[in-house]
Amino acid sequence: MPPARIAVLGGGLTGLSSAFHLSRKFPETNIVLLERQRRLGGWVRSERVDLPQVGASVLLEAGPRTLRPNSKAVLELIHLLRLEDEVITVPKTAPPAKARFIYVPESETTPKRASGLQRLPSSIPSLISSPFLPMLLAAVAPEPFKKANRPQGATDESVDSLFSRRFGETFARTFGSALVHGIYATDSRKLSVRAAFPSIWEAEGHGRGSIVRGFLMPNKRKTLDSGYALGRTTELMRNASVYSFRNGMESLTKALEESLMSSDNVTIMKDTRLSGLKQLEDHSMEIYPAEGKTLQASHVVSALPLPTLHNLISAHKSVPPIPHLTKNPASTVRVVNLVFSCPPKDIHPEGFGYLIPRPAEGYPESYEPTSPGILGTVFDSCSLHEQDLPHIKDYYNHSGHTKLTMMTGGPYPQAPLPPTLSSTESPMIPPFIRSLLDELKVQLRRDIPDPIYWRTWNNEGCIPTLLPGHLERMEELKAHLGLPSSASASQRAGTAERGWNNRLVVVGAGVGGVSVGDCVEAGRHVGKNWT
């Protein structure tokens, strides 16, 4: 029997994907999506701003801005939602795809030749001429010949720990921490390598202790294709390095919302704050809004942050506890969009942008006005110039404006600011923005004019830090919710006694990966054991 009624808690990307795929799997089942905010989409937020000063309409992103074409789940959504004509791609041969940078502050452990803004090697010739060549040769060349040194019995460790073991501490801090800043906005010494970068952990095992050898050796592991409906998206992505949409990433979440609103079996309840979740004796569940009537559902999907779900079930003492919901901390990322009235060539080199590694002396313990804690900068006018109007063919040299985005926060302490703040609300450049401009001047080694427009987005607790041991903890969490039908009768009986009986599914960035592809994929698989 299909579920009688499904409630999806949380209207971010994972919740939207869950509701969309559930409505297709169970067309006769009533599905209700509940979201505490007045808008859906979670951290995916796009905003178009008209700037008469430069005669342009500029697209700004507050969250994710580009996607890699390796997620079939996202490509499937593009096809099913008929978004193919909205897709813009960055070809693999384009400068933003080939030119990525890292900014390395001078320190005792970094050679002066390799400090400053440096282009990452993308080919053998560029490696030979790279100032990173001595550092990379010293770290990577000997790695295949090192003895296996994974601690006996270890099932996980931090990204920094693994990179330090195999490539040395300088490599781990310079490249490993910069990579983690760009994806997880956290300290690489705290992030689980198995959860965040499973292919690296597996390569070490496959290569009998060597990561390099593991990636070079053929891997016989088969990848499963779960019948994705891809349409012509495969052709669209044939030569793409990354891609987005003409009107930003919110094109995807808005299309999901429109599809759900047109579905006869889906109800969307925005601006609905929840106060509790309780399971009844017949294993159905009651959901308690802070205001309004209690809702009942036979099955529930929680796409909420795990601490939020913990608070909901803790409101009722009779509800079976779920382990590990409050284990992982989360990073707050402040995204700052800046627009300048000059072409990109006057601001930055042609390319995608740059990341910044962890300071050699460690992260400061308190906010320092002279050090705003920059994680990285994206050169949006290079990678996503097609989002802005009018279109300029030679955007790098002749565009009338430059758009870039700076990410700050994560492991760095931040000064308090409102959730959003723009130059239209405060025409005077505040100290925080001024400190970013001062740092930008140092990092790019050129004078930086004042922006004609700026906007800050304070994304509170937006990216979970998956601590070592995360995968094992999530298996324990899922066991408490109820095992899939392949489990033995004794296993299912043991979990049923705990009360959830496979009626509650917990998904989202705090459970699986944090990328857009991970979140969409998680929603795609929800309900596969509900019959």
Side-chain angles (χ1 to χ4, degrees):
M1 290 290 292
R5 192 184 197 202
I6 302 172
V8 179
L9 313 183
L13 187 55
T14 309
L16 286 168
S17 175
S18 299
F20 175 79
H21 287 291
L22 285 169
S23 69
R24 289 165 55 84
K25 291 175 187 175
F26 305 111
E28 303 301 322
T29 297
N30 177 261
I31 299 168
V32 57
L33 174 66
L34 299 105
E35 166 57 43
R36 69 171 183 171
Q37 298 185 10
R38 295 181 180 179
R39 59 174 293 276
L40 302 181
W43 303 116
V44 178
R45 287 179 292 184
S46 308
E47 180 180 277
R48 185 168 291 281
V49 179
D50 292 326
L51 298 176
Q53 306 97 308
V54 291
S57 173
V58 179
L59 195 284
L60 306 176
E61 297 279 19
R65 63 203 56 246
T66 57
L67 300 165
R68 293 193 176 276
N70 57 353
S71 172
K72 291 184 178 180
V74 180
L75 297 182
E76 180 180 56
L77 277 189
I78 291 172
H79 169 62
L80 295 176
L81 297 170
R82 300 179 182 178
L83 291 172
E84 289 95 340
D85 292 340
E86 295 298 312
V87 171
I88 55 175
T89 63
V90 177
K92 294 178 181 178
T93 54
K98 299 171 65 176
R100 295 170 183 261
F101 300 85
I102 186 170
Y103 176 76
V104 183
E106 288 189 26
S107 70
E108 296 180 358
T109 59
T110 303
K112 188 172 183 179
R113 181 169 175 261
S115 64
L117 189 67
Q118 303 290 351
R119 180 170 173 170
L120 290 168
S122 58
S123 63
I124 296 298
S126 65
L127 173 61
I128 293 173
S129 61
S130 172
F132 290 131
L133 179 62
M135 184 190 304
L136 291 172
L137 283 178
V140 179
E143 196 273 344
F145 308 100
K146 282 185 178 181
K147 291 183 179 180
N149 60 354
R150 179 182 290 177
Q152 187 175 3
T155 59
D156 199 0
E157 63 184 311
S158 72
V159 174
D160 187 80
S161 172
L162 184 142
F163 278 16
S164 295
R165 279 197 298 105
R166 299 308 305 170
F167 301 113
E169 293 182 3
T170 300
F171 179 96
R173 183 181 64 80
T174 304
F175 299 103
S177 69
L179 174 66
V180 169
H181 279 172
I183 301 174
Y184 285 87
T186 193
D187 186 343
S188 61
R189 296 169 296 185
K190 297 180 179 180
L191 183 67
S192 160
V193 69
R194 273 195 70 198
F197 305 106
S199 61
I200 299 177
W201 175 268
E202 292 166 5
E204 185 186 18
H206 182 59
R208 298 189 298 277
S210 167
I211 295 173
V212 172
R213 196 163 55 232
F215 278 119
L216 293 176
M217 292 172 63
N219 196 337
K220 298 181 180 179
R221 187 179 66 175
K222 295 181 179 180
T223 57
L224 299 177
D225 190 329
S226 301
Y228 297 90
L230 300 179
R232 62 186 179 94
T233 59
T234 303
E235 181 63 29
L236 283 175
M237 301 299 161
R238 189 171 300 280
N239 189 42
S241 169
V242 296
Y243 69 96
S244 185
F245 304 91
R246 298 190 186 280
N247 288 300
M249 290 293 296
E250 202 167 337
S251 298
L252 183 62
T253 55
K254 283 184 176 178
L256 280 167
E257 180 179 356
E258 290 173 4
S259 176
L260 293 173
M261 290 179 65
S262 65
S263 298
D264 293 335
N265 64 327
V266 177
T267 301
I268 297 176
M269 297 177 62
K270 301 179 186 179
D271 203 14
T272 302
R273 189 175 295 272
L274 304 179
S275 62
L277 172 66
K278 180 180 180 181
Q279 188 165 34
L280 305 178
E281 291 184 1
D282 63 354
H283 299 297
S284 65
M285 278 165 272
E286 285 188 339
I287 302 147
Y288 303 96
E291 297 179 0
K293 296 181 180 180
T294 299
L295 303 174
Q296 286 197 343
S298 61
H299 296 71
V300 171
V301 177
S302 174
L304 301 169
L306 298 189
T308 302
L309 176 60
H310 171 78
N311 292 337
L312 290 183
I313 64 173
S314 298
H316 301 275
K317 295 181 180 179
S318 60
V319 173
I322 301 175
H324 310 308
L325 293 179
T326 59
K327 178 66 177 179
N328 292 329
S331 291
T332 293
V333 180
R334 186 168 293 162
V335 176
V336 183
N337 308 126
L338 299 170
V339 182
F340 303 90
S341 60
C342 58
K345 69 179 180 65
D346 294 344
I347 301 291
H348 58 70
E350 194 169 17
F352 190 84
Y354 61 92
L355 295 173
I356 304 175
R358 180 178 73 244
E361 65 276 11
Y363 300 105
E365 295 183 0
S366 58
Y367 174 69
E368 299 174 3
T370 57
S371 179
I374 303 171
L375 302 171
T377 299
V378 180
F379 303 152
D380 295 309
S381 289
C382 281
S383 57
L384 298 173
H385 64 280
E386 290 183 62
Q387 293 177 333
D388 295 348
L389 302 172
H391 296 311
I392 305 294
K393 187 173 182 181
D394 187 2
Y395 58 90
Y396 184 68
N397 292 297
H398 299 298
S399 174
H401 72 275
T402 297
K403 175 179 66 175
L404 60 81
T405 301
M406 305 184 76
M407 277 71 67
T408 74
Y412 290 96
Q414 290 285 288
L417 281 181
T420 60
L421 187 65
S422 73
S423 55
T424 56
E425 298 162 312
S426 176
M428 297 295 293
I429 296 178
F432 173 70
I433 300 297
R434 180 60 64 191
S435 69
L436 292 181
L437 296 172
D438 291 342
E439 282 296 303
L440 204 58
K441 179 179 179 179
V442 172
Q443 293 166 5
L444 297 177
R445 293 182 177 175
R446 63 181 75 186
D447 289 334
I448 303 295
D450 285 350
I452 60 170
Y453 184 85
W454 51 264
R455 185 172 183 85
T456 67
W457 312 79
N458 202 46
N459 298 329
E460 185 77 29
C462 61
I463 307 178
T465 297
L466 311 179
L467 302 178
H470 176 75
L471 296 183
E472 288 83 357
R473 289 191 294 274
M474 291 304 98
E475 286 301 313
E476 292 179 15
L477 182 151
K478 292 173 185 177
H480 275 70
L481 298 178
L483 295 177
S485 56
S486 60
S488 67
S490 60
Q491 287 176 314
R492 291 182 60 80
T495 56
E497 289 174 359
R498 298 188 178 103
W500 294 105
N501 202 41
N502 200 32
R503 299 289 191 94
L504 171 64
V505 174
V506 180
V507 290
V511 179
V514 302
S515 72
V516 169
D518 292 328
C519 293
V520 171
E521 187 74 54
R524 187 177 187 269
H525 289 285
V526 162
K528 63 181 180 180
N529 297 313
W530 292 344
T531 54

